[in-house]
Amino acid sequence: MFDQANTLPAAPGVGYKPQHYSDILNDAGPVRWLEIHAENYMGDGGRPIAQLRFLADRFPISVHGVGLSIGGEGPLDPSHLARLKYLCDWLDPASFSEHLAWSTHDSAFLNDLLPLPYTAATLARVCDHIDQVQELLGRRMLLENPSSYLAFAESTYDEPEFLAEVSKRTGCGLLLDVNNIFVSATNLNYDPRAYVDAFALDQVGEIHLGGHDEDEDDHGAPLLIDSHGSEVADLVWTLLDYVLDRSGPRPTLIEWDTDVPDWATLAGEATRAETALEKVPA
Amino acid sequence: MTQTDFSQAIFDPARPVPDRLTDAADRPAGKRFSVYRNNVTVSLKEALETGFPATARLLGEANFDAVAKGYLRAHPPQSPLMMLFGDGFAEYIAAIPALKSLGYLPDVARVEYAMRQSYHAADAAPLDPAKLAGLTPEALNRARLSFAPAVRLVLSDWPVHAIRQKALEPNAPNPPGSAQPVLITRPQYDPDLQPLSPDQAALIAALMSGMPLSRAMTEVPKADLGAVLTLLLAQSALTDIDVEDPK
């Protein structure tokens, strides 16, 4: 449908942090590709753009948007779309992805990925927005499953069904965040493997892994928070194996956005992903 | 429940959790909604703390927490580009009666916001000093200077440069009693701060407005043009010099 398909290698990548710039150029270890947050590279110039240009000559880059508000009730912000197109045009990334979430309302940007009810109305709106993005960028995008802390009484689809339908209607691919599955399944009390079984794994162009925090809700039930501030939990690695057994190897990213560790620690997580990827036949 | 209800409840902790948000057993979401409230508030507050480190130090933790939360609720970001968040923070601080005794604080915030904009500004090739040196005195008089996109001038009646430095490094010298406007340049990738005298700042402001050199000197006779040009060249603050009369 679109010329620009996802060309990330089915190998480990990491979320790029500027403090790792020299380490990555010196020895990237098992890391074969890098992911950036689109919005951090929408300035006019300076060090962020210079570093990105340099890295993009050496690594496939995945552009991961955190501000498009695909699930927003209002129209997509035309100036933000234009900035995104400018970035994707000059960078020509190996992949572009965004979230099944909303973050902008009435011009206010809330700087978080906020949840959506899975209804026919949401489905129509999300598909319209994805059509608009893919038309504008001239490339197939990936849509990521969110981490959930609550449910909407009005939802009529379950999440894998909803995402499969978005992919079917728009032709977009999916980004499967395995930590998000684990967090949501714990918080909403369902079986994460059943979620994987129901997921359109053939549409998955990228996998995300990250750390989470543990808390409790008002009733003492576990409430996991998707914090990207620690190592990937052992049970999430186990769930990754379950996914890869069914999907085959996929580009697999370690996200670590707060309390960012030194490069050796992050590369160690990427090595663990590499081991998991090498266990499954291509 | 609409996204209007949801976002209003996010920014106003006094509002109840919106209806029909539940846990897995259909009980009201309660604390689960607070995760989103907390994510939004903490991430925006941290963005301000990262962008305004000296302002935060000068306010102290408890005061900064209150000021930042007040600001982010009254003026949530108007763009997904967090590099732009905080435009107007200085004016917000200036309008808080309880902070009137910290008269310099808005100017410190202005310097910090200007540094961030300088950091992300477009790259530009600096002016070749030979082009300036080759001009006759007559040509120099009617010349106009073009400044690099990363240059910012923050005028202030306070010794804002030293106040900022002292806030970040307690061993820095004590601020002088005189005003100290700030010139921000970006010789390569890191914004660089130069304290100015009020006369130097007035001259640079005149030059940045596009005035020919001779007229700028007439407007600010006390400033030393040679010293200012030397500073601007050394900081790669200029991109071009134009001796043509504007059409």
Side-chain angles (χ1 to χ4, degrees):
Chain A
M1 187 175 180
F2 294 101
D3 298 341
Q4 303 283 350
N6 177 322
T7 55
L8 293 172
V14 295
Y16 171 63
K17 298 291 159 198
Q19 53 266 53
H20 296 145
Y21 182 71
S22 304
D23 293 311
I24 290 171
L25 293 174
N26 183 42
D27 179 8
V31 173
R32 298 264 309 280
W33 56 279
L34 301 169
E35 186 158 284
I36 58 154
H37 286 177
E39 286 71 15
N40 292 340
Y41 296 87
M42 289 179 173
D44 292 327
R47 179 179 284 119
I49 305 290
Q51 285 193 345
L52 179 56
R53 282 188 194 280
F54 198 76
L55 290 167
D57 285 340
R58 287 153 184 83
F59 295 90
I61 304 287
S62 162
V63 171
H64 190 51
V66 296
L68 200 50
S69 200
I70 290 268
E73 284 171 354
L76 298 179
D77 174 357
S79 55
H80 198 61
L81 281 172
R83 286 189 290 260
L84 184 62
K85 179 165 173 56
Y86 179 77
L87 176 64
C88 287
D89 282 354
W90 76 255
L91 184 61
D92 192 17
S95 173
F96 169 68
S97 52
E98 252 285 356
H99 299 84
L100 178 61
W102 62 282
S103 49
T104 295
H105 183 66
D106 276 352
S107 85
F109 176 67
L110 285 84
N111 201 32
D112 193 26
L113 299 165
L114 299 167
L116 291 164
Y118 299 139
T119 63
T122 308
L123 180 64
R125 190 171 74 233
V126 166
C127 289
D128 281 351
H129 287 166
I130 290 176
D131 286 341
Q132 196 186 343
V133 173
Q134 294 189 134
E135 284 294 328
L136 180 77
L137 299 184
R139 58 176 76 228
R140 183 186 194 221
M141 62 168 282
L142 307 179
L143 187 67
E144 177 176 348
N145 60 303
S147 49
S148 299
Y149 308 115
L150 49 74
F152 288 78
E154 63 192 290
S155 286
T156 52
Y157 294 78
D158 64 28
E159 194 170 281
E161 186 187 8
F162 188 90
L163 282 162
E165 192 60 29
V166 171
S167 172
K168 194 173 127 196
R169 290 191 191 185
T170 65
C172 78
L174 300 174
L175 193 168
L176 186 61
D177 188 315
V178 177
N179 180 60
N180 287 358
I181 302 176
F182 187 80
V183 164
S184 299
T186 305
N187 291 343
L188 298 177
N189 200 23
Y190 58 76
D191 175 7
R193 295 187 175 208
Y195 183 104
V196 174
D197 292 341
F199 204 85
L201 292 177
D202 53 334
Q203 300 302 323
V204 172
E206 181 181 338
I207 287 172
H208 273 184
L209 298 165
H212 59 252
D213 292 340
E214 297 178 12
D215 199 354
E216 284 184 353
D217 76 358
D218 297 318
H219 308 283
L223 181 59
L224 302 186
I225 315 290
D226 178 34
S227 53
H228 297 180
S230 57
E231 270 107 356
V232 178
D234 285 342
L235 286 169
V236 173
W237 287 112
T238 307
L239 188 58
L240 174 69
D241 291 338
Y242 186 83
V243 170
L244 293 175
D245 277 344
R246 282 151 188 80
S247 67
R250 290 287 194 278
T252 300
L253 182 91
I254 308 294
E255 290 185 293
W256 200 322
D257 297 319
T258 58
D259 295 326
V260 175
D262 62 16
W263 177 250
T265 305
L266 190 59
E269 292 283 276
T271 300
R272 207 166 164 183
E274 184 181 45
T275 306
L277 286 163
E278 283 170 353
K279 278 192 292 194
V280 292
Chain B
M1 196 221 49
T2 64
Q3 290 175 359
T4 304
D5 303 327
F6 199 102
S7 55
Q8 283 174 347
I10 288 273
F11 283 122
D12 184 358
R15 281 180 189 256
V17 174
D19 290 343
R20 308 195 73 209
L21 300 176
T22 70
D23 69 4
D26 289 328
R27 294 175 295 200
K31 183 178 169 184
R32 292 161 175 271
F33 184 78
S34 310
V35 176
Y36 297 106
R37 240 178 208 155
N38 194 53
N39 283 351
V40 171
T41 309
V42 171
S43 73
L44 293 179
K45 194 195 114 180
E46 285 178 354
L48 290 173
E49 206 163 353
T50 305
F52 298 93
T55 309
R57 289 276 185 89
L58 290 165
L59 274 168
E61 205 172 319
N63 288 333
F64 181 76
D65 186 80
V67 171
K69 283 179 179 163
Y71 177 72
L72 69 91
R73 284 172 187 146
H75 305 281
Q78 296 298 299
S79 161
L81 270 57
M82 291 308 289
M83 64 182 77
L84 301 176
F85 183 44
D87 182 16
F89 191 46
E91 288 68 31
Y92 179 82
I93 292 171
I96 299 176
L99 296 179
K100 281 283 180 265
S101 61
L102 306 179
Y104 49 81
L105 199 61
D107 286 350
V108 173
R110 276 184 197 104
V111 169
E112 296 195 302
Y113 189 75
M115 286 174 70
R116 185 149 39 107
Q117 299 321 304
S118 174
Y119 182 76
H120 290 288
D123 305 304
L127 171 69
D128 178 359
K131 191 168 174 185
L132 185 63
L135 294 177
T136 64
E138 187 273 329
L140 194 59
N141 271 336
R142 55 192 164 88
R144 295 160 201 272
L145 300 174
S146 297
F147 286 76
V151 174
R152 296 288 186 282
L153 179 68
V154 181
L155 302 177
S156 177
D157 294 332
W158 298 88
V160 65
H161 182 269
I163 291 172
R164 175 189 164 274
Q165 214 166 26
K166 184 90 183 159
L168 296 175
E169 303 156 33
N171 293 329
N174 284 325
S178 52
Q180 210 179 40
V182 177
L183 176 70
I184 300 169
T185 59
R186 202 184 79 201
Q188 201 192 5
Y189 292 133
D190 292 307
D192 190 58
L193 272 62
Q194 299 286 329
L196 301 172
S197 71
D199 287 338
Q200 287 174 319
L203 180 61
I204 293 174
L207 295 171
M208 286 179 82
S209 76
M211 263 182 212
L213 262 59
S214 58
R215 203 171 126 220
M217 281 192 294
T218 316
E219 298 269 328
V220 195
K222 280 190 285 179
D224 178 348
L225 177 68
V228 162
L229 286 179
T230 303
L231 173 68
L232 295 175
L233 284 171
Q235 294 296 116
S236 301
L238 303 175
T239 55
D240 203 1
I241 183 160
D242 183 3
V243 295
E244 295 304 312
D245 289 325
K247 300 286 178 291

